[in-house]
Structures are given as structure tokens and as C-alpha cells.
């Protein structure tokens, strides 16, 4: 498990994140603590609280694509899976940022009082941006 640092002031946060240059790290802010960082499409979610029906994320992506394709810009079409994620459709992507302040913003978006969390991802990652852009409609998970 990674080190956990408790920070209470913005000035403390800035001092701490300056140790981790954004050229080498990605940041992720979450309002609640989760055991692991898992993409929404891969989470063990089965609908509403009492619903036993599986979460049909592939169908949701297909339906959303058919609905919005006539109005998508070229950039939105090339980045469709990211576009879908930012419209609430479950995808196999996880939002990260090069900005520690953007991550902090999302960490502070809880509807209740409590701690937010900022996670750092080091250099061991795979950038799939060019693959997604090359195959914009191949967003299904097999």
C-alpha cells in the first residue's frame, strides 16, 4: 500500500505536491476513499440498490453513440470514449490529470463533510490516447 499523507491546509498540499513534478506523475482526486481505482465500466455494480440486473455498459455506449453521432464534432468523435465518460456513461477509462490542483478540486466535491483523497500515479502507465483516436468506434470491452 502507498504512503498516506494527511493534509489540512492548501499551503501544506502545495508544498507536498511540489515534490512530485507533473511531468512524471498523474493525479486523481476522489471525494470518498475507495479500496482501489477502478474504471466505472469494470466496477461490480448491478444497477440500483435492490436491482439484480447487470449494468449494461456496452449497450449504454452503443445507444449513446447512436444518439449523439449526428451532432459530434470531429474531436468528440475521435475521442468518443472520453466524451461518453464525461456524459456519465461507464467506460474502461479512469480520469487522471497532470494538475494537482484539478485533482484537489475533485477531491473536495463531496456532498457531505469528510475527507477527500488525491492519488498519485507514477511513471508506470500506458498512454492509450493514440489507440483510442485511431479506433474511435472500437470502445467495447470484450
Amino acid at each position: 500500500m502507498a504512503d498516506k499523507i494527511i493534509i489540512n491546509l492548501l499551503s501544506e498540499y502545495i508544498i507536498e505536491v511540489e515534490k512530485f513534478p507533473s511531468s512524471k506523475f498523474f493525479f486523481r482526486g476522489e471525494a470518498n476513499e475507495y479500496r482501489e481505482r477502478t474504471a466505472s465500466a469494470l466496477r461490480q455494480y448491478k444497477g440500483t440498490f435492490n436491482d439484480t440486473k447487470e449494468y449494461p455498459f456496452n449497450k449504454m455506449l452503443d445507444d449513446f453513440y447512436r444518439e449523439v453521432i449526428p451532432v459530434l464534432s470531429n474531436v468528440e468523435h475521435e475521442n468518443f470514449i472520453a466524451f461518453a465518460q464525461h456524459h456519465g456513461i461507464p467506460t474502461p477509462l479512469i480520469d487522471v490529470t497532470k494538475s494537482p490542483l484539478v485533482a484537489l478540486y475533485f477531491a473536495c466535491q463531496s456532498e457531505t463533510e469528510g475527507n477527500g483523497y488525491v492519488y498519485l500515479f507514477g511513471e508506470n502507465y500506458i498512454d492509450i490516447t493514440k489507440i483510442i483516436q485511431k479506433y474511435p468506434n472500437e470502445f467495447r470491452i470484450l
Side-chain angles (χ1 to χ4, degrees):
M1 181 175 195
D3 294 338
K4 190 177 206 178
I5 301 169
I6 298 173
I7 296 173
N8 295 306
L9 300 171
L10 178 59
S11 58
E12 292 174 359
Y13 180 77
I14 292 171
I15 289 167
E16 197 60 43
V17 297
E18 284 179 340
K19 299 174 187 175
F20 303 96
S22 62
S23 61
K24 295 186 177 185
F25 292 89
F26 285 107
F27 302 86
R28 176 172 172 78
E30 295 181 349
N32 300 300
E33 184 175 25
Y34 300 103
R35 284 194 221 172
E36 56 188 44
R37 268 54 28 231
T38 305
S40 58
L42 306 176
R43 292 181 192 147
Q44 295 294 320
Y45 177 73
K46 294 184 179 227
T48 61
F49 183 68
N50 293 319
D51 192 358
T52 58
K53 184 176 157 187
E54 289 292 328
Y55 200 46
F57 63 87
N58 279 333
K59 182 178 180 339
M60 290 176 70
L61 278 170
D62 289 345
D63 291 347
F64 185 64
Y65 184 77
R66 280 192 295 280
E67 183 177 323
V68 300
I69 187 66
V71 296
L72 291 178
S73 69
N74 286 341
V75 171
E76 291 165 339
H77 187 267
E78 288 174 1
N79 299 284
F80 178 73
I81 197 164
F83 176 81
Q85 178 161 331
H86 286 278
H87 283 82
I89 306 300
T91 72
L93 302 178
I94 296 176
D95 287 323
V96 295
T97 179
K98 286 286 195 177
S99 170
L101 294 177
V102 169
L104 180 61
Y105 171 82
F106 285 101
C108 295
Q109 292 303 301
S110 178
E111 294 180 14
T112 61
E113 279 196 41
N115 295 325
Y117 299 84
V118 174
Y119 300 93
L120 275 70
F121 296 86
E123 295 176 310
N124 297 329
Y125 64 87
I126 299 171
D127 185 350
I128 63 168
T129 305
K130 289 181 180 170
I131 295 170
I132 290 172
Q133 289 175 339
K134 186 174 180 180
Y135 304 102
N137 298 322
E138 302 297 323
F139 46 78
R140 296 182 62 87
I141 297 175
L142 301 175

